[in-house]
Amino acid sequence: MGQEQEMEALIERVKALFNRGAFAEGVRLLEGLPKETVEAHEMASLLLAMGRQMLGRLAEAEIAFRKLQKSRDPKIAAFATWGLGNLFVQRGCFRDGLALLESVRDVIRTTGQYPAYLNTLARVYFALGKFDQAEAALREGIEAAKERGDLHLLAALTGNLAVAVDELGRPPEAALLYQDALNLTRRLEMHSTWCLHLHNLAELYAEIDSGEEALRFLKMGEEKGCTTFPEVGLSIRLARAHVYLLLGRLQEAERELQEAQDQLPDAGEMDRLLTHALLTGVLSLKAGKPATALETVSRTLAALPTLESEKRRALEVLHHYLRYRLGRDPGPVTFSLDHPCSSEALIFPLYLRLLEAQGERQRVKDALQNLTACVQKGTVRWGSLSVFWDELWTVWKALGFQGLDLEIGVTLALRSENRRILRDLVHTYPVQRLVPLLRRRPHFPPDLFLLLKKRARTSTDRKLLQALHEDYVQENPLKIHTLGRFEVWFGRFPVPNPLWRRPFTQEVLKFFLVHRNRWLERDLVLEALWPGVSPEKSANRLKVYLSYLREVLEPGLVEAPPQRLIHQEGRYRLNLGPEELDVEAFEHAAREGQRFLENAPDRALVSLERAFSLYRGDFLPEDLYRDDVVLERERLKERYVQVATALADLYTQKGERGRARFVLHTAFFSDPTREDVVRRYLTLLLEQGDRAEAHRIFELHRTALRSRYDLSPNPQLERLLKENVSRKDRNAP
């Protein structure tokens, strides 16, 4: 082997080491060569600079990157500029780093590293608060990763996109993206990343007042083994303590924080230390122990005197407030919600209370106006503010309800758990004053209608409510998710527990979802929902639950007849279109794709891609044993496999093997027993030369068949693998 070939082999080895994160070993190999040998080979020099950068040797990396920027090879120069931009970002020079990264976008677009580059670019956009640009970069990166069939990078991009969408104030979409990222990381056995996404998803649900959903996800993390990773396990405990605080369940929050205390010495991260101190201080304050809270907060601030972070600033405000509560001089205090994190929003009402106590009325008004702007932009969520809603209410009321925009104040109050304040506010303003305000910006949780209906005493009030309902459903369309998990949203608001009235209301809705868009005889409904119960009792129950269900589906309906759940001559029908129910949207797109498959493949591709993206998991997976749900679940899964195989075939015909691999990978893990999917997937993997992955997929298929049905794989699949091996042996030199 010649010297050039030896260098190429070494470079490939170093790349493989870097892909595994073994940067120290890769750098050691390159530094073991004579300096002039490395400098004579630009790719080796670039890899060495990248390795040194990852090891924190920034000065050496910068010298090499600047030298390589002058390379005649535009790709080498572009990668060097990329590395230099990363280096600037590491030093906190985000704008300079961004300028360098954006300058090489067109060149890197032509390389296989473009998805990774877009992921880097998005992280810089994050740091600068440019979440809309981060979203655009990540969506482009996802498409590029699908074309390459790079599933690991696709998982990273999807998780980051969920963060961007979450920051842009679109929680339902962010929740679905987090679930996509969870599915990918679970299938790829990226355990720590899976746990991180789970943690983020739980926090999202907690901060939009879906605390029970947040707890369900955090419990899932424990069941899946998240707590075997110490740092992730600690994060889950802290997240759960935060959720319990939001729900007012102080004893459970205290238990979680106490157990987290035992893990803190090994945490190794100031962020978790600050989070624990902040939540412990808040808990002690809510429990009526301000002295204990002050001791905890003072001890943490003394241990971290120079640290700059949002959480430390929030801890400082809590420290000032606790001194004020204990009759001590709090001293001057400043705080900002310009770029709030959940910790800052948690403490913000205490900051306002301090200003109000110090007579700083104008600063209070300015801060309340800032809060209004942040809430409207979606950078502050309701959930975090609700912990200290009493303090926020006290300040706002002391100002005669000035400073804070009334629309924002009303919505904040109605999302609070404090029923006294809710009653106060609803009784403070008549329906005829509230409804016109809400119609101008009809974005609020649907259970607001329950309170407004109680206050509607005149025909004018009822007409106003009906008009508000019509505006509301236009601005906050109903979205029911049944694929992957069951959720009901109005715009960005999940249906809260008060609107369901009773837990069984959800079961009634699920029954009608299985039998959607067709007439059902009353006897059939009664027997299915309450078998063995007398007709009189079950008929009364049905009447009650249907009234609850109509409030869920059309919460503001007052004077008009129901449009979704209809009763006519002893029959019932639930009307839902593709824009309202994900199952209907999936089936519509799947039918359209199959119809165009032979005559218009491009149109078929668009429809099949939409159907594939809509199927985020099995139908109503929480209901494992209900016969009607099981039958519908299997029917939809069969339709999904048809969509996936047809889509993979179209991608293969177009030469887009990376996208075909992604589709088949996803379809395989939705049901590893499907022979038609396995055959296509194995064939594609073998054509790409990935024999190791092909054998792994075959073994997973064999295991699934044996455990579920006590069957063995089709011998033809095993022959397919053996023939590929023998063919490779015959072609070997």
Side-chain angles (χ1 to χ4, degrees):
M1 185 183 292
Q3 186 175 358
E4 186 65 25
Q5 290 177 314
E6 290 179 358
M7 177 58 79
E8 293 294 338
L10 179 63
I11 285 174
E12 291 303 317
R13 184 179 174 189
V14 171
K15 286 181 180 178
L17 289 170
F18 282 8
N19 286 335
R20 297 205 308 269
F23 297 103
E25 187 176 350
V27 168
R28 182 180 57 77
L29 286 174
L30 290 171
E31 288 182 336
L33 298 175
K35 183 178 179 181
E36 57 274 12
T37 302
V38 175
E39 291 180 347
H41 202 292
E42 289 185 329
M43 180 54 72
S45 298
L46 180 65
L47 288 173
L48 182 56
M50 292 168 60
R52 286 170 171 170
Q53 179 185 11
M54 295 303 297
L55 295 174
R57 295 160 60 180
L58 302 187
E60 297 171 87
E62 182 175 359
I63 293 171
F65 283 139
R66 290 192 182 279
K67 184 176 180 180
L68 289 166
Q69 277 185 298
K70 302 174 184 177
S71 170
R72 294 182 178 180
D73 186 336
K75 292 183 179 179
I76 293 290
F79 281 117
T81 303
W82 179 3
L84 193 61
N86 270 336
L87 190 146
F88 277 31
V89 170
Q90 283 179 274
R91 291 173 173 166
C93 304
F94 297 110
R95 297 191 185 281
D96 293 336
L98 180 62
L100 286 170
L101 289 169
E102 289 181 331
S103 69
V104 296
R105 185 166 187 160
D106 290 339
V107 178
I108 295 179
R109 193 192 304 271
T110 63
T111 71
Q113 295 301 313
Y114 189 53
Y117 162 83
L118 289 170
N119 200 33
T120 302
L121 195 62
R123 288 201 296 270
V124 182
Y125 285 140
F126 280 156
L128 294 172
K130 299 181 177 182
F131 298 107
D132 52 347
Q133 291 172 263
E135 180 187 6
L138 289 164
R139 289 193 185 280
E140 187 179 355
I142 285 173
E143 292 305 310
K146 286 180 180 178
E147 289 177 2
R148 289 188 61 208
D150 190 334
L151 300 180
H152 284 80
L153 190 53
L154 180 63
L157 288 159
T158 304
N160 285 336
L161 179 59
V163 175
V165 170
D166 186 11
E167 291 288 350
L168 288 168
R170 285 141 52 195
E173 185 180 351
L176 292 174
L177 286 166
Y178 275 129
Q179 290 173 42
D180 288 347
L182 283 170
N183 289 335
L184 282 166
T185 50
R186 176 176 56 80
R187 292 164 185 166
L188 296 169
E189 299 181 359
M190 299 166 63
H191 300 297
S192 59
T193 308
W194 184 88
C195 295
L196 176 63
H197 292 325
L198 192 75
H199 179 204
N200 289 340
L201 183 58
E203 285 202 335
L204 183 153
Y205 276 105
E207 292 180 8
I208 58 176
D209 287 355
S210 293
E212 296 299 335
E213 286 298 308
L215 292 174
R216 192 177 73 82
F217 274 104
L218 291 169
K219 183 178 180 182
M220 184 195 303
E222 283 193 330
E223 290 173 351
K224 296 291 184 180
C226 283
T227 49
T228 60
F229 303 91
E231 290 188 357
V232 176
L234 178 57
S235 293
I236 285 178
R237 290 205 181 284
L238 294 174
R240 193 155 50 207
H242 191 179
V243 174
Y244 283 137
L245 275 173
L246 296 179
L247 294 173
R249 294 159 63 174
L250 302 187
Q251 290 184 345
E252 290 152 299
E254 183 178 11
R255 184 191 68 233
E256 294 295 337
L257 289 171
Q258 184 59 49
E259 293 182 2
Q261 178 72 44
D262 300 334
Q263 296 176 266
L264 277 174
D266 301 324
E269 283 192 24
M270 296 301 100
D271 181 73
R272 292 184 175 88
L273 215 82
L274 285 169
T275 301
H276 185 271
L278 188 64
L279 295 177
T280 302
V282 169
L283 175 67
S284 299
L285 180 58
K286 294 295 289 183
K289 302 175 183 177
T292 304
L294 181 60
E295 180 184 350
T296 300
V297 172
S298 300
R299 186 170 58 247
T300 304
L301 289 175
L304 305 169
T306 60
L307 186 66
E308 286 293 329
S309 76
E310 294 87 350
K311 289 180 181 176
R312 192 183 191 283
R313 289 196 292 273
L315 206 61
E316 287 172 348
V317 172
L318 180 57
H319 183 262
H320 285 289
Y321 180 80
L322 290 167
R323 289 181 62 84
Y324 157 73
R325 279 285 301 270
L326 292 169
R328 306 176 192 176
D329 178 21
V333 58
T334 58
F335 200 46
S336 170
L337 270 182
D338 291 338
H339 297 289
C341 65
S342 59
S343 303
E344 289 180 294
L346 184 74
I347 298 300
F348 190 69
L350 302 184
Y351 169 60
L352 295 178
R353 187 72 182 88
L354 271 174
L355 292 180
E356 189 267 338
Q358 294 172 351
E360 299 277 2
R361 293 177 67 87
Q362 188 56 49
R363 288 180 67 189
V364 173
K365 289 181 181 179
D366 294 342
L368 285 170
Q369 289 171 355
N370 187 21
L371 174 62
T372 292
C374 289
V375 169
Q376 289 171 338
K377 289 188 295 186
T379 54
V380 169
R381 293 203 188 97
W382 315 106
S384 293
L385 290 164
S386 67
V387 173
F388 290 117
W389 173 247
D390 283 343
E391 284 74 11
L392 186 56
W393 171 263
T394 300
V395 173
W396 193 34
K397 194 172 183 179
L399 292 176
F401 300 111
Q402 297 177 4
L404 185 63
D405 183 275
L406 179 59
E407 295 177 54
I408 299 299
V410 167
T411 308
L412 280 169
L414 291 171
R415 293 186 73 86
S416 167
E417 295 295 326
N418 191 316
R419 304 304 298 177
R420 176 185 61 79
I421 292 176
L422 290 178
R423 288 193 301 271
D424 286 349
L425 187 60
V426 172
H427 289 117
T428 300
Y429 297 100
V431 169
Q432 294 181 37
R433 173 76 189 281
L434 292 175
V435 170
L437 291 174
L438 294 169
R439 287 194 70 185
R440 288 205 293 270
R441 188 177 290 111
H443 297 289
F444 50 80
D447 56 329
L448 169 61
F449 284 107
L450 294 180
L451 295 166
L452 292 174
K453 284 178 180 179
K454 291 179 181 178
R455 293 279 290 160
R457 297 186 174 90
T458 67
S459 60
T460 303
D461 290 346
R462 288 191 288 274
K463 288 178 181 178
L464 284 171
L465 279 180
Q466 182 62 38
L468 176 60
H469 170 75
E470 292 167 4
D471 291 344
Y472 184 81
V473 295
Q474 286 185 0
E475 295 291 328
N476 304 275
L478 175 68
K479 299 286 184 183
I480 301 178
H481 301 147
T482 58
L483 297 172
R485 60 192 307 266
F486 175 68
E487 292 179 320
V488 183
W489 299 75
F490 280 97
R492 63 187 181 89
F493 296 103
V495 171
N497 287 333
L499 205 58
W500 290 108
R501 298 294 184 98
R502 296 179 187 173
F504 196 73
T505 310
Q506 294 189 15
E507 302 307 313
V508 177
L509 177 56
K510 289 177 181 179
F511 171 79
F512 281 103
L513 287 173
V514 173
H515 305 283
R516 60 197 175 275
N517 296 325
R518 58 179 182 266
W519 289 103
L520 300 174
E521 296 294 334
R522 190 181 73 157
D523 292 344
L524 184 151
V525 175
L526 296 178
E527 181 60 30
L529 292 174
W530 295 284
V533 178
S534 67
E536 293 79 11
K537 286 185 178 181
S538 56
N540 288 333
R541 290 180 185 177
L542 181 62
K543 184 178 179 180
V544 170
Y545 279 106
L546 289 183
S547 68
Y548 294 161
L549 196 50
R550 288 190 177 104
E551 283 190 339
V552 170
L553 299 174
E554 298 176 279
L557 200 65
V558 180
E559 297 197 329
Q563 300 296 314
R564 302 201 190 282
L565 189 54
I566 303 170
H567 176 212
Q568 190 178 89
E569 298 178 357
R571 298 184 303 165
Y572 300 91
R573 179 185 175 98
L574 177 62
N575 290 328
L576 292 170
E579 68 282 357
E580 298 157 338
L581 181 61
D582 59 353
V583 167
E584 285 296 303
F586 165 74
E587 294 221 79
H588 176 77
R591 286 194 298 268
E592 197 172 64
Q594 294 291 340
R595 188 168 71 249
F596 292 130
L597 202 53
E598 292 186 6
N599 301 323
D602 289 340
R603 292 183 66 180
L605 183 65
V606 173
S607 296
L608 291 172
E609 284 179 333
R610 172 157 175 73
F612 181 78
S613 66
L614 284 166
Y615 194 92
R616 298 176 183 272
D618 290 343
F619 178 71
L620 296 178
E622 303 91 346
D623 296 80
L624 293 176
Y625 306 112
R626 277 180 48 182
D627 292 342
D628 55 346
V629 173
V630 170
L631 289 173
E632 181 71 354
R633 182 183 299 135
E634 293 304 314
R635 185 186 71 80
L636 290 168
K637 185 182 288 186
E638 180 65 28
R639 175 62 65 90
Y640 167 67
V641 170
Q642 294 172 2
V643 166
T645 52
L647 184 58
D649 290 345
L650 283 176
Y651 280 144
T652 303
Q653 292 167 17
K654 292 168 68 68
E656 297 179 358
R657 297 184 183 278
R659 287 175 178 267
R661 178 169 178 169
F662 165 70
V663 170
L664 291 172
H665 179 90
T666 306
F668 170 77
F669 278 97
S670 72
D671 185 357
T673 65
R674 291 294 302 238
E675 183 183 330
D676 47 351
V677 175
V678 174
R679 183 184 301 278
R680 283 177 169 84
Y681 197 14
L682 291 180
T683 302
L684 180 61
L685 290 171
L686 294 172
E687 287 175 355
Q688 292 182 319
D690 197 345
R691 288 191 296 162
E693 181 66 7
H695 281 278
R696 187 179 81 89
I697 292 299
F698 178 76
E699 288 304 318
L700 290 173
H701 173 60
R702 184 205 302 273
T703 303
L705 280 176
R706 184 182 298 121
S707 62
R708 290 190 195 179
Y709 308 117
D710 196 23
L711 295 174
S712 298
N714 188 326
Q716 292 181 357
L717 296 179
E718 199 159 6
R719 282 200 297 272
L720 181 65
L721 292 173
K722 291 179 179 178
E723 288 172 4
N724 180 268
V725 172
S726 61
R727 190 184 309 117
K728 190 170 183 67
D729 291 340
R730 288 197 303 271
N731 294 335

